[in-house]
Amino acid sequence: MRRLGVAVALAATLASLLAATPAAAEFGPIRLVSRTFASQAREASEPVLSADGHYMAFRAVMDGGQMGVFRVDLETGEVVRVETGAAPEDPTKTEPLASAKAPSISADGRYVSFTTKAPLVGALDPQPSSEDVYVADMSTAPPTYELASVDAATGAAMTTPSQAAPRVALSADGRKVAFVSGGEVYLRNLETRETTLVSVARDPLTGAMEPGVPVPGGTVVPKLANSVGAALSADGTTVAWLGTNLPAQVPLLADEKAKIAALDASDSPYDEPLWRRVADGPLAATRRIVGGGDPLSPGCPGETGTLAEPACQGPFPELDQGNYDKKNVATGWLGRVEPIDGVPQLSADGDTVALIGSPTEAANLFLVDMAPGLSRVRAVRRLTTQVPVRPGAEGELVDEEKYVPLNGHIYDAAISPDGRHVAFATARQRFPIAPPNLATPPPIQLGLVELYDLDLDNEAIRRVTHGQSAESEPSLAEGLAAQGGSGASSPSFGAGARLLGFSSTASNLVAGDGNEASDAFVVEDLPGSRAATTSVPGGPKPAGVKRRSLVVSAFSMPNGKVKVVAVTPSDGTLAVRAEAPLGSPSRPRRVAAGTARARTTRPVKLILSLPRRLRQLARSGDGLYAEAAVAFHRPHGGTIRRKLQVRFHAHGPHKGAKR
């Protein structure tokens, strides 16, 4: 009878808890989307999510051997062709004429832009072997196509090959497209049928922009094939690109201008990301996003200033010196022969830029505020840095496999529409800048490029890619090494920052993945999984850095326990007490507690365990939800308190998990 009474009480408690709002503390299961109801794609890459989270477009070989761009409805699983052609037996050696690539998608998924050699509107596209940019309207079956890479003078296709950057070329309404043709950046308005030259010249005497006057090589970075393209903000106001020939486009310091001009005349032209608010009209200035010098900085005399003057220095005054790499001399912001996506990523309003650069060593991640009036030093925030292997020798060691977990490149990045989340792909496992702090364990396997989400509100970095259980780490298809394209790549956000789309060559992110090639995936950031924070008044915040006094995250463990990870503002003691409504009638009761010593040098971790009598709740349904009261006690300075929801949920490991 006593056992029956306990069982009834537990059942009643579980029913009441299941009715409560979930507080999951993890990314949900990863879902394979590059498949039809009948079969999996032979390979899939370049995925991009619609802003509403309903659709994903990607490049693939699937559906009976068709190669090109497809769109999948994430609710129904229906896959339709955007633009495809018959795939050759070996696509690495022979690319079909109609092979569409580099998709971007509108906010509602109706429009998909892409690059193709196929003459889809023959009368306006008389050069069948030349690449052009199109936009497909998916509201019709089959889709209808509009030529986007249109010459303003002739109304026909550009005479030079045109390309659109994947994921970021299309505005939210699908009516504006940014593309590059002949090394120049353009913006096409499909509603007004206007093509605007974005990369325009600047009068060297007056400093005024010269509308319609092109800059030779405005975005030609021959060393970086992945960086040819331009990003368009979702609101269609702003364009950003990785460009060359800076003396013709932006203000430069006197000595800086001479050095960059000399590099441009050599075999290694200088490259740097540029930004222009085209919505401000034809005279809107092209601006530097980063920079070695900053002639517009307060206190600098302008273009007559030099790098020797502190007030004129940008965040990377050594940028135009050329930094040594064992493969080549790298000049500029991203001057390495690597499969790195150097196209700047824009928030929806174009005000915030996430970008990858290697101004001094390995390619790292940066965040830039483009608000007017900010100096480049104040505007640029570094989000990642490598761990030095040997002082002064990092550049020589960055490509050595054994050092990849310390200083491996950042390969791909994406920014959420509101600019508060940045996703990035890397094989690096150490992130010494704090904040942001790594709040989830690094992968067990070395060398695999993983996807991470950086939550700027909470200054937390979390690993997104994970195996099917805690005992099942992602693994590489046989023969691949730690480099761009090996593992996760091409991140994109949907439904705000709730969904993350990406591609990966990992062989065991989902059950049944058997093609041993890249696939397109989507994963959900479950409610309550983001880190909770508490701040207390402190000293002045460094420019460009959002300081957090206490960062606390909670993560469900497969064995039914909860891991609490905290980054503290000083040494002290962390105490956590979890309570859940139990009994009939229910009332809050303590279900777990723990304490740990905290050090500012590293995150403190604390494990919460349910008592034996309640552990079956963690194994039932969605588990046991509780409220955790966190208290950080400082020896001198009082106590910081915070509450957050946690979940005790036993969800693995399961038998047969692939390692």
Side-chain angles (χ1 to χ4, degrees):
M1 289 296 292
R2 185 174 181 274
R3 290 181 179 177
L4 178 60
V6 171
V8 171
L10 286 173
T13 300
L14 180 59
S16 65
L17 290 171
L18 290 176
T21 302
E26 58 195 23
F27 283 93
I30 295 173
R31 176 184 168 193
L32 173 66
V33 296
S34 53
R35 60 171 299 121
T36 64
F37 296 110
S39 62
Q40 182 179 349
R42 186 194 305 175
E43 66 87 21
S45 59
E46 300 179 347
V48 56
L49 283 170
S50 62
D52 63 8
H54 290 165
Y55 294 95
M56 175 187 280
F58 53 85
R59 189 187 190 196
V61 178
M62 63 187 307
D63 196 18
Q66 290 292 303
M67 181 179 186
V69 174
F70 298 80
R71 189 193 72 171
V72 60
D73 185 323
L74 295 177
E75 294 183 356
T76 66
E78 180 186 17
V79 178
V80 296
R81 301 179 192 176
V82 176
E83 164 55 19
T84 65
E89 288 299 320
D90 188 352
T92 63
K93 296 181 178 179
T94 307
E95 184 173 348
L97 184 65
S99 176
K101 61 183 180 182
S104 297
I105 193 168
S106 63
D108 61 0
R110 174 178 174 178
Y111 297 102
V112 178
S113 67
F114 55 91
T115 301
T116 184
K117 292 182 180 179
L120 300 180
V121 287
L124 297 177
D125 189 4
Q127 302 180 70
S129 61
S130 178
E131 285 188 320
D132 293 287
V133 178
Y134 285 87
V135 174
D137 185 348
M138 304 301 294
S139 66
T140 63
T144 57
Y145 304 106
E146 297 174 90
L147 179 65
S149 52
V150 175
D151 188 305
T154 66
M158 292 280 186
T159 56
T160 51
S162 303
Q163 296 174 311
R167 298 177 286 148
V168 294
L170 196 62
S171 61
D173 61 6
R175 300 289 77 202
K176 293 180 179 179
V177 189
F179 66 94
V180 171
S181 186
E184 298 304 324
V185 182
Y186 294 89
L187 179 64
R188 177 67 173 176
N189 189 320
L190 297 170
E191 290 293 324
T192 64
R193 300 184 182 277
E194 295 176 312
T195 301
T196 302
L197 177 66
V198 177
S199 53
V200 299
R202 176 177 176 267
D203 189 298
L205 297 178
T206 66
M209 307 309 293
E210 299 185 287
V213 179
V215 177
T219 186
V220 174
V221 186
K223 303 183 295 296
L224 300 164
N226 286 14
S227 299
V228 177
L232 177 64
S233 61
D235 63 6
T237 65
T238 309
V239 181
W241 66 97
L242 183 64
T244 56
N245 201 356
L246 267 68
Q249 301 180 77
V250 295
L252 298 169
L253 300 174
D255 55 344
E256 184 184 31
K257 182 176 181 178
K259 292 177 181 179
I260 291 176
L263 290 171
D264 288 347
S266 69
D267 294 333
S268 299
Y270 180 89
D271 58 72
E272 194 175 290
L274 302 175
W275 180 98
R276 190 173 183 217
R277 184 85 78 184
V278 290
D280 288 346
L283 298 180
T286 298
R287 295 171 53 191
R288 304 172 78 176
I289 298 175
V290 286
D294 188 3
L296 303 181
S297 176
C300 180
E303 295 180 70
T304 60
T306 67
L307 286 166
E309 301 173 62
C312 297
Q313 292 180 358
F316 304 102
E318 72 278 25
L319 200 57
D320 57 21
Q321 302 299 312
N323 41 42
Y324 180 75
D325 181 280
K326 66 181 180 181
K327 294 181 179 179
N328 68 303
V329 175
T331 54
W333 178 251
L334 191 55
R336 300 177 187 275
V337 183
E338 294 284 351
I340 294 171
D341 187 352
V343 178
Q345 308 288 301
L346 296 172
S347 60
D349 58 10
D351 289 344
T352 307
V353 186
L355 69 163
I356 300 169
S358 57
T360 55
E361 63 288 294
N364 279 292
L365 185 64
F366 300 81
L367 192 73
V368 187
D369 185 346
M370 296 304 295
L374 283 181
S375 69
R376 293 304 83 204
V377 171
R378 289 189 59 199
V380 177
R381 179 184 175 187
R382 187 185 191 118
L383 296 176
T384 67
T385 190
Q386 77 287 344
V387 177
V389 177
R390 252 193 342 257
E394 292 85 347
E396 298 178 11
L397 303 174
V398 78
D399 293 321
E400 294 188 19
E401 186 173 353
K402 63 181 177 180
Y403 297 122
V404 164
L406 300 177
N407 60 17
H409 294 301
I410 308 293
Y411 289 105
D412 285 291
I415 189 170
S416 62
D418 63 2
R420 303 313 306 158
H421 282 257
V422 178
F424 62 96
T426 184
R428 192 181 303 176
Q429 298 184 2
R430 298 276 298 278
F431 303 97
I433 294 179
N437 304 281
L438 183 62
T440 52
I444 296 172
Q445 179 173 324
L446 301 182
L448 181 66
V449 177
E450 300 270 10
L451 184 64
Y452 293 85
D453 173 76
L454 196 164
D455 183 343
L456 290 160
D457 284 332
N458 295 301
E459 300 289 0
I461 298 174
R462 293 176 298 150
R463 184 162 63 108
V464 177
T465 43
H466 55 80
Q468 301 163 51
S469 74
E471 299 298 322
S472 176
E473 285 291 322
S475 60
L476 281 170
E478 186 175 356
L480 293 179
Q483 59 186 7
S486 297
S489 61
S490 300
S492 68
F493 288 97
R498 182 174 60 85
L499 297 178
L500 257 173
F502 63 97
S503 60
S504 179
T505 58
S507 60
N508 64 330
L509 295 180
V510 299
D513 181 0
N515 64 357
E516 295 187 352
S518 177
D519 296 287
F521 301 91
V522 68
V523 65
E524 182 178 1
D525 190 357
L526 297 174
S529 64
R530 297 173 189 170
T533 65
T534 292
S535 296
V536 295
K541 297 179 181 180
V545 177
K546 194 170 185 179
R547 178 181 290 175
R548 297 288 182 178
S549 293
L550 177 64
V551 179
V552 185
S553 306
F555 303 91
S556 296
M557 300 177 67
N559 59 6
K561 299 179 181 180
V562 167
K563 178 188 293 183
V564 177
V565 181
V567 178
T568 61
S570 65
D571 293 353
T573 302
L574 189 77
V576 183
R577 175 189 173 103
E579 294 185 343
L582 297 175
S584 182
S586 65
R587 62 186 182 89
R589 298 176 184 271
R590 189 180 74 171
V591 296
T595 60
R597 295 186 64 185
R599 294 283 186 268
T600 55
T601 55
R602 60 184 183 273
V604 57
K605 300 176 184 179
L606 191 151
I607 304 298
L608 299 179
S609 302
L610 292 175
R612 186 179 300 275
R613 69 179 188 282
L614 298 178
R615 288 176 187 171
Q616 67 186 84
L617 290 176
R619 296 188 291 269
S620 302
D622 290 331
L624 174 64
Y625 297 98
E627 183 177 76
V630 181
F632 172 63
H633 305 287
R634 295 179 290 184
H636 307 286
T639 300
I640 306 175
R641 301 184 187 277
R642 178 64 174 174
K643 290 186 177 181
L644 70 159
Q645 290 183 306
V646 298
R647 180 179 66 164
F648 297 88
H649 180 213
H651 53 279
H654 60 271
K655 294 181 179 179
K658 186 176 178 181
R659 297 184 69 89

